Every structure is written in C-alpha cells, then in structure tokens.
CSV table of all heavy atoms in Angstrom, one decimal:
chain,number,residue,atom,x,y,z
A,61,MET,N,82.9,92.6,97.3
A,61,MET,CA,84.0,93.4,98.0
A,61,MET,C,83.4,94.1,99.3
A,61,MET,O,82.3,94.6,99.3
A,61,MET,CB,84.7,94.3,97.1
A,61,MET,CG,85.6,93.7,96.2
A,61,MET,SD,87.0,93.0,96.9
A,61,MET,CE,87.9,94.5,97.4
A,62,THR,N,84.0,93.9,100.4
A,62,THR,CA,83.6,94.7,101.6
A,62,THR,C,84.4,96.1,101.6
A,62,THR,O,85.3,96.2,101.1
A,62,THR,CB,83.9,93.8,103.0
A,62,THR,OG1,85.2,93.6,102.8
A,62,THR,CG2,83.1,92.7,103.0
A,63,ASP,N,83.6,97.1,102.2
A,63,ASP,CA,84.3,98.4,102.3
A,63,ASP,C,84.6,98.7,103.7
A,63,ASP,O,83.8,99.1,104.5
A,63,ASP,CB,83.2,99.4,101.8
A,63,ASP,CG,83.9,100.7,101.6
A,63,ASP,OD1,85.1,100.8,101.6
A,63,ASP,OD2,83.1,101.6,101.6
A,64,LEU,N,85.9,98.3,104.1
A,64,LEU,CA,86.3,98.5,105.4
A,64,LEU,C,87.2,99.6,105.5
A,64,LEU,O,87.9,100.0,104.5
A,64,LEU,CB,87.1,97.1,105.9
A,64,LEU,CG,86.4,95.8,105.8
A,64,LEU,CD1,87.3,94.6,105.9
A,64,LEU,CD2,85.4,95.7,107.0
A,65,PRO,N,87.0,100.3,106.7
A,65,PRO,CA,87.8,101.5,106.9
A,65,PRO,C,89.3,101.2,107.1
A,65,PRO,O,89.8,100.2,107.7
A,65,PRO,CB,87.4,102.0,108.3
A,65,PRO,CG,86.8,100.8,109.0
A,65,PRO,CD,86.2,99.8,107.8
A,66,ALA,N,90.2,101.9,106.4
A,66,ALA,CA,91.6,101.8,106.5
A,66,ALA,C,92.1,102.2,107.9
A,66,ALA,O,92.7,103.4,108.0
A,66,ALA,CB,92.3,102.3,105.4
A,67,ASP,N,91.8,101.7,108.9
A,67,ASP,CA,92.1,102.1,110.3
A,67,ASP,C,93.4,101.7,110.9
A,67,ASP,O,93.7,101.8,112.0
A,67,ASP,CB,91.0,101.9,111.3
A,67,ASP,CG,90.4,100.4,111.1
A,67,ASP,OD1,91.2,99.6,110.6
A,67,ASP,OD2,89.5,100.1,111.9
A,68,ASP,N,94.2,100.9,110.1
A,68,ASP,CA,95.5,100.5,110.6
A,68,ASP,C,96.6,101.0,109.7
A,68,ASP,O,96.3,101.2,108.4
A,68,ASP,CB,95.5,98.9,110.7
A,68,ASP,CG,94.6,98.4,111.7
A,68,ASP,OD1,95.0,98.6,112.9
A,68,ASP,OD2,93.7,97.7,111.5
A,69,THR,N,97.8,101.0,110.1
A,69,THR,CA,98.9,101.6,109.3
A,69,THR,C,99.8,100.4,109.1
A,69,THR,O,100.3,99.9,110.1
A,69,THR,CB,99.4,102.8,109.9
A,69,THR,OG1,98.5,103.9,110.0
A,69,THR,CG2,100.6,103.3,109.0
A,70,CYS,N,100.3,100.1,107.9
A,70,CYS,CA,101.2,99.2,107.6
A,70,CYS,C,102.6,99.7,108.1
A,70,CYS,O,103.0,100.8,107.8
A,70,CYS,CB,101.2,98.9,106.2
A,70,CYS,SG,102.7,97.8,105.7
A,71,PRO,N,103.3,99.0,109.0
A,71,PRO,CA,104.7,99.4,109.6
A,71,PRO,C,105.7,99.2,108.5
A,71,PRO,O,106.8,99.8,108.6
A,71,PRO,CB,104.8,98.4,110.7
A,71,PRO,CG,104.1,97.3,110.5
A,71,PRO,CD,102.8,97.8,109.7
A,72,ARG,N,105.4,98.6,107.4
A,72,ARG,CA,106.4,98.4,106.4
A,72,ARG,C,106.5,99.5,105.4
A,72,ARG,O,107.4,100.1,105.0
A,72,ARG,CB,106.2,96.9,105.7
A,72,ARG,CG,107.4,96.7,104.7
A,72,ARG,CD,107.2,95.3,104.4
A,72,ARG,NE,108.2,94.9,103.3
A,72,ARG,CZ,108.1,94.8,102.0
A,72,ARG,NH1,106.9,95.4,101.5
A,72,ARG,NH2,109.1,94.5,101.3
A,73,CYS,N,105.3,99.8,104.9
A,73,CYS,CA,105.3,100.8,103.8
A,73,CYS,C,104.5,102.1,104.2
A,73,CYS,O,104.5,103.2,103.7
A,73,CYS,CB,104.4,100.3,102.5
A,73,CYS,SG,102.8,100.0,102.7
A,74,GLY,N,103.9,102.1,105.4
A,74,GLY,CA,103.3,103.3,106.0
A,74,GLY,C,101.7,103.5,105.3
A,74,GLY,O,101.3,104.5,105.6
A,75,GLY,N,101.5,102.5,104.6
A,75,GLY,CA,100.1,102.8,103.9
A,75,GLY,C,99.0,102.3,104.8
A,75,GLY,O,99.2,101.5,105.8
A,76,GLY,N,97.8,102.8,104.7
A,76,GLY,CA,96.6,102.6,105.4
A,76,GLY,C,96.1,101.3,104.9
A,76,GLY,O,95.9,101.0,103.7
A,77,PHE,N,95.5,100.4,105.9
A,77,PHE,CA,94.9,99.3,105.5
A,77,PHE,C,93.9,98.8,106.7
A,77,PHE,O,94.1,99.4,107.7
A,77,PHE,CB,95.8,98.1,105.1
A,77,PHE,CG,96.5,97.5,106.4
A,77,PHE,CD1,96.2,96.2,106.7
A,77,PHE,CD2,97.4,98.3,107.0
A,77,PHE,CE1,96.8,95.7,107.8
A,77,PHE,CE2,98.0,97.6,108.1
A,77,PHE,CZ,97.8,96.3,108.4
A,78,HIS,N,93.1,97.8,106.4
A,78,HIS,CA,92.3,97.4,107.6
A,78,HIS,C,92.8,96.0,107.9
A,78,HIS,O,92.8,95.0,107.1
A,78,HIS,CB,90.9,97.3,107.2
A,78,HIS,CG,90.0,96.7,108.3
A,78,HIS,ND1,89.6,97.5,109.4
A,78,HIS,CD2,89.4,95.5,108.5
A,78,HIS,CE1,88.9,96.8,110.2
A,78,HIS,NE2,88.7,95.5,109.6
A,79,CYS,N,93.3,95.6,109.2
A,79,CYS,CA,93.6,94.3,109.5
A,79,CYS,C,92.3,93.7,110.1
A,79,CYS,O,91.6,94.2,111.0
A,79,CYS,CB,94.7,94.5,110.8
A,79,CYS,SG,95.0,92.9,111.4
A,80,GLY,N,92.1,92.6,109.7
A,80,GLY,CA,90.9,91.8,110.1
A,80,GLY,C,91.1,90.9,111.3
A,80,GLY,O,90.2,90.0,111.6
A,81,VAL,N,92.0,91.0,112.0
A,81,VAL,CA,92.3,90.2,113.1
A,81,VAL,C,91.4,90.2,114.2
A,81,VAL,O,91.1,89.2,114.9
A,81,VAL,CB,93.8,90.3,113.7
A,81,VAL,CG1,94.0,91.4,114.4
A,81,VAL,CG2,94.3,89.1,114.3
A,82,ASN,N,90.7,91.4,114.4
A,82,ASN,CA,89.8,91.5,115.4
A,82,ASN,C,88.3,91.4,114.8
A,82,ASN,O,87.4,91.7,115.6
A,82,ASN,CB,90.0,92.9,116.2
A,82,ASN,CG,91.2,93.0,116.9
A,82,ASN,OD1,91.6,92.0,117.6
A,82,ASN,ND2,91.9,94.1,116.8
A,83,ASP,N,88.2,91.1,113.6
A,83,ASP,CA,86.9,91.0,113.0
A,83,ASP,C,86.4,89.6,113.3
A,83,ASP,O,87.1,88.7,113.5
A,83,ASP,CB,86.9,91.3,111.6
A,83,ASP,CG,87.2,92.8,111.3
A,83,ASP,OD1,87.2,93.5,112.2
A,83,ASP,OD2,87.4,93.1,110.1
A,84,THR,N,85.0,89.4,113.0
A,84,THR,CA,84.5,88.1,113.1
A,84,THR,C,84.9,87.3,111.9
A,84,THR,O,85.0,86.1,111.8
A,84,THR,CB,83.0,88.2,113.2
A,84,THR,OG1,82.5,89.0,112.1
A,84,THR,CG2,82.6,88.7,114.5
A,85,THR,N,85.2,87.9,110.8
A,85,THR,CA,85.6,87.3,109.5
A,85,THR,C,87.1,87.0,109.6
A,85,THR,O,87.8,87.8,110.2
A,85,THR,CB,85.2,88.0,108.2
A,85,THR,OG1,85.7,89.3,108.4
A,85,THR,CG2,83.6,88.1,108.1
A,86,PRO,N,87.5,85.9,108.9
A,86,PRO,CA,89.0,85.8,108.8
A,86,PRO,C,89.7,87.0,108.2
A,86,PRO,O,89.3,87.6,107.2
A,86,PRO,CB,89.2,84.4,107.9
A,86,PRO,CG,87.9,83.9,108.1
A,86,PRO,CD,86.8,85.0,108.2
A,87,CYS,N,90.9,87.3,108.8
A,87,CYS,CA,91.6,88.3,108.2
A,87,CYS,C,92.1,87.9,106.8
A,87,CYS,O,92.4,86.8,106.5
A,87,CYS,CB,92.9,88.5,109.1
A,87,CYS,SG,94.0,89.9,108.4
A,88,ALA,N,92.2,89.0,105.9
A,88,ALA,CA,92.5,88.7,104.5
A,88,ALA,C,93.9,88.2,104.4
A,88,ALA,O,94.2,87.6,103.4
A,88,ALA,CB,92.4,90.1,103.8
A,89,CYS,N,94.7,88.4,105.4
A,89,CYS,CA,96.0,87.9,105.3
A,89,CYS,C,96.1,86.5,105.3
A,89,CYS,O,97.1,85.8,105.0
A,89,CYS,CB,97.0,88.5,106.4
A,89,CYS,SG,96.6,87.8,108.0
A,90,THR,N,95.1,85.8,105.7
A,90,THR,CA,95.0,84.3,105.7
A,90,THR,C,94.9,83.7,104.3
A,90,THR,O,95.2,82.5,104.1
A,90,THR,CB,93.8,83.7,106.5
A,90,THR,OG1,92.7,84.3,105.8
A,90,THR,CG2,93.8,84.1,107.9
A,91,THR,N,94.7,84.6,103.3
A,91,THR,CA,94.7,84.1,101.9
A,91,THR,C,96.0,84.1,101.3
A,91,THR,O,96.3,83.6,100.3
A,91,THR,CB,93.8,85.0,101.1
A,91,THR,OG1,94.3,86.4,101.0
A,91,THR,CG2,92.4,85.1,101.6
A,92,ILE,N,97.0,84.7,102.1
A,92,ILE,CA,98.4,84.7,101.6
A,92,ILE,C,99.2,83.8,102.4
A,92,ILE,O,99.3,83.9,103.5
A,92,ILE,CB,99.0,86.2,101.7
A,92,ILE,CG1,98.2,87.1,100.7
A,92,ILE,CG2,100.4,86.3,101.3
A,92,ILE,CD1,98.7,88.5,100.6
A,93,ARG,N,99.9,83.0,101.6
A,93,ARG,CA,100.7,81.9,102.3
A,93,ARG,C,102.2,82.4,102.4
A,93,ARG,O,102.8,82.8,101.4
A,93,ARG,CB,100.8,80.6,101.5
A,93,ARG,CG,99.3,80.1,101.4
A,93,ARG,CD,99.3,78.7,100.7
A,93,ARG,NE,100.2,77.8,101.5
A,93,ARG,CZ,100.2,76.4,101.4
A,93,ARG,NH1,99.4,76.0,100.6
A,93,ARG,NH2,101.0,75.8,102.1
A,94,LEU,N,102.7,82.4,103.7
A,94,LEU,CA,104.0,82.7,104.0
A,94,LEU,C,104.5,81.6,104.8
A,94,LEU,O,103.8,81.1,105.6
A,94,LEU,CB,104.0,84.0,104.8
A,94,LEU,CG,103.8,85.3,104.1
A,94,LEU,CD1,103.6,86.5,105.1
A,94,LEU,CD2,104.9,85.7,103.0
A,95,ASP,N,105.9,81.4,104.5
A,95,ASP,CA,106.2,80.1,105.4
A,95,ASP,C,106.6,80.7,106.8
A,95,ASP,O,106.6,81.8,107.0
A,95,ASP,CB,107.4,79.5,104.7
A,95,ASP,CG,108.8,80.2,104.8
A,95,ASP,OD1,109.0,80.8,105.9
A,95,ASP,OD2,109.6,80.1,103.9
A,96,ARG,N,106.7,79.8,107.7
A,96,ARG,CA,106.7,80.0,109.1
A,96,ARG,C,107.9,80.8,109.4
A,96,ARG,O,107.9,81.6,110.4
A,96,ARG,CB,106.7,78.7,109.9
A,96,ARG,CG,105.4,78.0,109.7
A,96,ARG,CD,105.1,77.1,111.0
A,96,ARG,NE,106.3,76.3,111.3
A,96,ARG,CZ,106.2,75.1,111.7
A,96,ARG,NH1,104.9,74.4,111.8
A,96,ARG,NH2,107.2,74.3,112.1
A,97,GLN,N,109.0,80.6,108.8
A,97,GLN,CA,110.3,81.4,109.0
A,97,GLN,C,110.1,82.9,108.8
A,97,GLN,O,110.4,83.8,109.5
A,97,GLN,CB,111.4,80.9,108.2
A,97,GLN,CG,112.1,79.7,108.8
A,97,GLN,CD,113.3,79.4,108.2
A,97,GLN,OE1,113.5,79.6,106.9
A,97,GLN,NE2,114.2,78.7,108.7
A,98,THR,N,109.4,83.1,107.6
A,98,THR,CA,109.1,84.4,107.3
A,98,THR,C,108.0,85.1,108.3
A,98,THR,O,108.3,86.3,108.7
A,98,THR,CB,108.4,84.6,105.8
A,98,THR,OG1,109.4,83.9,104.9
A,98,THR,CG2,108.3,86.0,105.5
A,99,LEU,N,107.1,84.4,108.5
A,99,LEU,CA,106.1,84.9,109.6
A,99,LEU,C,106.8,85.3,110.9
A,99,LEU,O,106.5,86.2,111.5
A,99,LEU,CB,104.9,83.8,109.8
A,99,LEU,CG,103.9,83.9,108.8
A,99,LEU,CD1,102.9,82.7,109.0
A,99,LEU,CD2,103.1,85.3,108.7
A,100,ALA,N,107.7,84.4,111.4
A,100,ALA,CA,108.4,84.6,112.7
A,100,ALA,C,109.3,85.8,112.5
A,100,ALA,O,109.3,86.7,113.5
A,100,ALA,CB,109.3,83.3,112.9
A,101,ARG,N,109.9,86.0,111.4
A,101,ARG,CA,110.8,87.2,111.0
A,101,ARG,C,110.0,88.5,111.2
A,101,ARG,O,110.3,89.4,111.9
A,101,ARG,CB,111.5,87.1,109.9
A,101,ARG,CG,113.0,87.5,109.9
A,101,ARG,CD,113.6,87.2,108.6
A,101,ARG,NE,113.6,85.9,108.1
A,101,ARG,CZ,113.4,85.6,106.8
A,101,ARG,NH1,113.4,86.5,106.0
A,101,ARG,NH2,113.3,84.3,106.4
A,102,LEU,N,108.8,88.5,110.5
A,102,LEU,CA,107.9,89.6,110.5
A,102,LEU,C,107.5,89.9,111.9
A,102,LEU,O,107.3,91.1,112.3
A,102,LEU,CB,106.7,89.3,109.6
A,102,LEU,CG,107.0,89.2,108.1
A,102,LEU,CD1,105.8,88.8,107.4
A,102,LEU,CD2,107.6,90.4,107.7
A,103,ARG,N,107.1,88.8,112.7
A,103,ARG,CA,106.6,89.2,114.1
A,103,ARG,C,107.7,89.8,114.9
A,103,ARG,O,107.4,90.6,115.7
A,103,ARG,CB,106.2,87.8,114.8
A,103,ARG,CG,104.9,87.5,114.2
A,103,ARG,CD,104.0,86.6,115.3
A,103,ARG,NE,102.9,86.1,114.6
A,103,ARG,CZ,102.8,84.8,114.3
A,103,ARG,NH1,103.8,84.1,114.4
A,103,ARG,NH2,101.7,84.4,113.7
A,104,GLU,N,109.0,89.5,114.7
A,104,GLU,CA,110.1,90.0,115.5
A,104,GLU,C,110.2,91.5,115.0
A,104,GLU,O,110.5,92.3,115.9
A,104,GLU,CB,111.4,89.2,115.2
A,104,GLU,CG,111.4,88.0,116.0
A,104,GLU,CD,112.8,87.2,115.7
A,104,GLU,OE1,113.7,87.9,115.0
A,104,GLU,OE2,112.8,86.1,115.9
A,105,ARG,N,110.1,91.7,113.8
A,105,ARG,CA,110.5,93.0,113.2
A,105,ARG,C,109.3,94.0,113.2
A,105,ARG,O,109.5,95.1,113.5
A,105,ARG,CB,110.9,92.8,111.7
A,105,ARG,CG,111.4,94.0,111.0
A,105,ARG,CD,112.2,93.5,109.9
A,105,ARG,NE,112.7,94.7,109.1
A,105,ARG,CZ,113.3,94.5,107.9
A,105,ARG,NH1,113.5,93.3,107.5
A,105,ARG,NH2,113.6,95.5,107.2
A,106,TYR,N,108.1,93.6,113.2
A,106,TYR,CA,107.0,94.5,113.1
A,106,TYR,C,105.9,94.0,114.3
A,106,TYR,O,105.7,92.9,114.4
A,106,TYR,CB,106.3,94.5,111.8
A,106,TYR,CG,107.1,94.8,110.6
A,106,TYR,CD1,107.4,93.8,109.7
A,106,TYR,CD2,107.6,96.0,110.4
A,106,TYR,CE1,108.2,94.1,108.6
A,106,TYR,CE2,108.5,96.3,109.4
A,106,TYR,CZ,108.7,95.4,108.4
A,106,TYR,OH,109.5,95.5,107.4
A,107,SER,N,105.5,95.1,115.0
A,107,SER,CA,104.6,94.8,116.0
A,107,SER,C,103.2,94.5,115.6
A,107,SER,O,102.3,94.1,116.5
A,107,SER,CB,104.7,95.9,117.2
A,107,SER,OG,104.3,97.0,116.5
A,108,SER,N,102.8,95.0,114.4
A,108,SER,CA,101.4,94.6,113.9
A,108,SER,C,101.5,94.1,112.6
A,108,SER,O,102.5,93.8,112.0
A,108,SER,CB,100.7,96.1,113.9
A,108,SER,OG,101.4,97.0,113.0
A,109,CYS,N,100.2,93.8,112.0
A,109,CYS,CA,100.2,93.2,110.8
A,109,CYS,C,100.7,94.3,109.7
A,109,CYS,O,100.7,95.4,109.8
A,109,CYS,CB,98.6,93.0,110.5
A,109,CYS,SG,98.0,91.6,111.2
A,110,LEU,N,101.0,93.6,108.6
A,110,LEU,CA,101.3,94.4,107.4
A,110,LEU,C,100.1,94.3,106.6
A,110,LEU,O,99.3,93.5,106.6
A,110,LEU,CB,102.4,93.6,106.7
A,110,LEU,CG,103.8,93.4,107.5
A,110,LEU,CD1,105.0,93.0,106.6
A,110,LEU,CD2,104.3,94.8,108.2
A,111,CYS,N,100.1,95.3,105.6
A,111,CYS,CA,99.1,95.4,104.5
A,111,CYS,C,99.2,94.3,103.6
A,111,CYS,O,100.3,93.7,103.4
A,111,CYS,CB,99.1,96.7,103.8
A,111,CYS,SG,100.4,97.0,102.7
A,112,LEU,N,98.1,94.0,102.9
A,112,LEU,CA,98.1,92.9,102.1
A,112,LEU,C,99.1,93.0,100.9
A,112,LEU,O,99.7,92.1,100.4
A,112,LEU,CB,96.8,92.7,101.4
A,112,LEU,CG,95.7,92.0,102.2
A,112,LEU,CD1,94.4,91.8,101.4
A,112,LEU,CD2,96.2,90.7,102.5
A,113,ARG,N,99.3,94.1,100.5
A,113,ARG,CA,100.3,94.4,99.3
A,113,ARG,C,101.7,94.1,99.9
A,113,ARG,O,102.5,93.4,99.0
A,113,ARG,CB,100.3,95.8,98.9
A,113,ARG,CG,101.1,96.1,97.7
A,113,ARG,CD,100.6,97.3,96.9
A,113,ARG,NE,100.8,98.5,97.8
A,113,ARG,CZ,100.5,99.8,97.3
A,113,ARG,NH1,100.1,99.9,96.0
A,113,ARG,NH2,100.5,100.8,98.1
A,114,CYS,N,102.1,94.4,101.0
A,114,CYS,CA,103.5,94.0,101.5
A,114,CYS,C,103.4,92.5,101.7
A,114,CYS,O,104.4,91.8,101.3
A,114,CYS,CB,103.8,94.8,102.8
A,114,CYS,SG,104.2,96.5,102.5
A,115,LEU,N,102.5,92.0,102.2
A,115,LEU,CA,102.5,90.4,102.4
A,115,LEU,C,102.6,89.8,101.1
A,115,LEU,O,103.3,88.8,101.0
A,115,LEU,CB,101.3,90.0,103.1
A,115,LEU,CG,101.0,90.4,104.5
A,115,LEU,CD1,99.7,90.0,105.1
A,115,LEU,CD2,102.1,89.8,105.5
A,116,ALA,N,101.8,90.2,100.2
A,116,ALA,CA,102.0,89.7,98.8
A,116,ALA,C,103.4,89.7,98.2
A,116,ALA,O,103.8,88.9,97.6
A,116,ALA,CB,101.0,90.2,97.9
A,117,GLU,N,103.9,90.9,98.5
A,117,GLU,CA,105.3,91.1,98.0
A,117,GLU,C,106.3,90.2,98.6
A,117,GLU,O,107.2,89.6,98.0
A,117,GLU,CB,105.8,92.6,98.3
A,117,GLU,CG,105.6,93.6,97.1
A,117,GLU,CD,106.1,94.9,97.6
A,117,GLU,OE1,107.1,94.9,98.3
A,117,GLU,OE2,105.5,95.9,97.3
A,118,LEU,N,106.2,90.0,99.9
A,118,LEU,CA,107.0,89.2,100.8
A,118,LEU,C,106.8,87.6,100.2
A,118,LEU,O,107.6,86.8,100.1
A,118,LEU,CB,106.7,89.3,102.2
A,118,LEU,CG,107.2,90.6,102.8
A,118,LEU,CD1,106.6,90.7,104.1
A,118,LEU,CD2,108.7,90.6,102.8
A,119,ALA,N,105.5,87.4,100.1
A,119,ALA,CA,105.2,86.0,99.6
A,119,ALA,C,105.8,85.6,98.2
A,119,ALA,O,106.4,84.5,98.0
A,119,ALA,CB,103.8,85.9,99.5
A,120,ARG,N,105.8,86.7,97.4
A,120,ARG,CA,106.6,86.6,96.1
A,120,ARG,C,108.0,86.4,96.1
A,120,ARG,O,108.7,85.7,95.5
A,120,ARG,CB,106.0,87.7,95.2
A,120,ARG,CG,106.1,87.3,93.6
A,120,ARG,CD,105.4,88.4,92.9
A,120,ARG,NE,105.8,89.7,93.4
A,120,ARG,CZ,105.0,90.8,93.1
A,120,ARG,NH1,103.9,90.7,92.5
A,120,ARG,NH2,105.4,92.0,93.6
A,121,ALA,N,108.6,87.3,97.1
A,121,ALA,CA,109.9,87.4,97.1
A,121,ALA,C,110.5,86.1,97.8
A,121,ALA,O,111.7,85.6,97.4
A,121,ALA,CB,110.4,88.5,98.2
A,122,GLU,N,109.8,85.4,98.6
A,122,GLU,CA,110.3,84.2,99.0
A,122,GLU,C,110.0,82.9,98.3
A,122,GLU,O,110.4,81.8,98.5
A,122,GLU,CB,109.9,83.9,100.5
A,122,GLU,CG,108.4,83.4,100.5
A,122,GLU,CD,107.9,83.1,101.9
A,122,GLU,OE1,108.5,83.7,102.9
A,122,GLU,OE2,107.0,82.5,102.1
A,123,ALA,N,109.1,83.1,97.2
A,123,ALA,CA,108.9,82.0,96.3
A,123,ALA,C,110.2,81.5,95.5
A,123,ALA,O,110.9,82.5,95.4
A,123,ALA,CB,107.8,82.4,95.3
A,124,PRO,N,110.2,80.3,95.2
A,124,PRO,CA,111.5,79.9,94.5
A,124,PRO,C,111.6,80.7,93.1
A,124,PRO,O,110.7,80.8,92.4
A,124,PRO,CB,111.1,78.4,94.1
A,124,PRO,CG,110.0,78.1,95.1
A,124,PRO,CD,109.3,79.2,95.4
A,125,GLN,N,112.8,81.1,93.1
A,125,GLN,CA,113.1,81.9,91.9
A,125,GLN,C,113.6,80.9,90.8
A,125,GLN,O,114.2,79.9,91.0
A,125,GLN,CB,114.3,82.8,92.1
A,125,GLN,CG,114.2,83.7,93.3
A,125,GLN,CD,113.1,84.9,93.1
A,125,GLN,OE1,113.0,85.3,91.9
A,125,GLN,NE2,112.3,85.2,94.0
A,126,PRO,N,113.0,81.3,89.6
A,126,PRO,CA,113.3,80.5,88.4
A,126,PRO,C,115.0,80.6,88.2
A,126,PRO,O,115.5,81.7,88.2
A,126,PRO,CB,112.7,81.0,87.3
A,126,PRO,CG,112.1,82.3,87.8
A,126,PRO,CD,112.1,82.2,89.2
A,127,SER,N,115.7,79.5,87.9
A,127,SER,CA,117.1,79.5,87.7
A,127,SER,C,117.4,80.1,86.3
A,127,SER,O,116.7,79.8,85.4
A,127,SER,CB,117.7,78.2,87.8
A,127,SER,OG,117.1,77.3,87.0
A,128,GLY,N,118.3,80.9,86.3
A,128,GLY,CA,118.8,81.5,85.0
A,128,GLY,C,118.6,82.9,85.0
A,128,GLY,O,118.2,83.8,84.8
B,107,ZN,ZN1,102.3,97.6,103.5
C-alpha cells in the first residue's frame, strides 16, 4: 500500500482522498469500471475526480440488479 496524502476533496461526499491523475502511476480509479454514460454524467456534474468509495458505490449502483 502506498501512503499518499489526501490532498483532494471528493465533490460528492466531501471526503479527502488522493487523485492519481497527475501521478506517474495510474490513478486508482482505473481499477473501477464505470460505463461511459455514467462517466459522462459524472464529468458534467462534478469538475474533479470522486473518491474511490463514491466511484465504487456508483459502479455497484449501476450494476445489473438481481430481479425479485
Ligand atoms: Zn466520495
């Protein structure tokens, strides 16, 4: 585990996190799969990255729901 400073703030939940978009290593958000529609919506709504927890929540929310 890397110990990165939480120098960004998630616009969705207000929590601190570190966005890796300016790092040499790939951003952690690349490990979370969101469909393109969801990503486009997030870009319209938020000007910056969301924290991993919110991304994971969104990924889960858009996953196919079991019927019943
Ligand atoms: Zn968040």
Side-chain angles (χ1 to χ4, degrees):
M61 286 291 285
T62 50
D63 188 18
L64 296 167
D67 49 5
D68 291 294
T69 302
C70 172
R72 185 171 181 265
C73 70
F77 75 112
H78 178 80
C79 176
V81 76
N82 295 317
D83 291 354
T84 53
T85 52
C87 182
C89 69
T90 60
T91 62
I92 295 186
R93 297 191 54 164
L94 290 169
D95 80 32
R96 293 207 313 223
Q97 278 189 335
T98 305
L99 280 176
R101 222 177 306 147
L102 290 177
R103 287 212 184 95
E104 281 177 18
R105 192 157 167 188
Y106 305 111
S107 58
S108 62
C109 278
L110 304 187
C111 70
L112 276 183
R113 189 158 57 177
C114 284
L115 290 175
E117 263 180 40
L118 291 165
R120 202 171 41 202
E122 78 177 17
Q125 302 293 321
S127 58

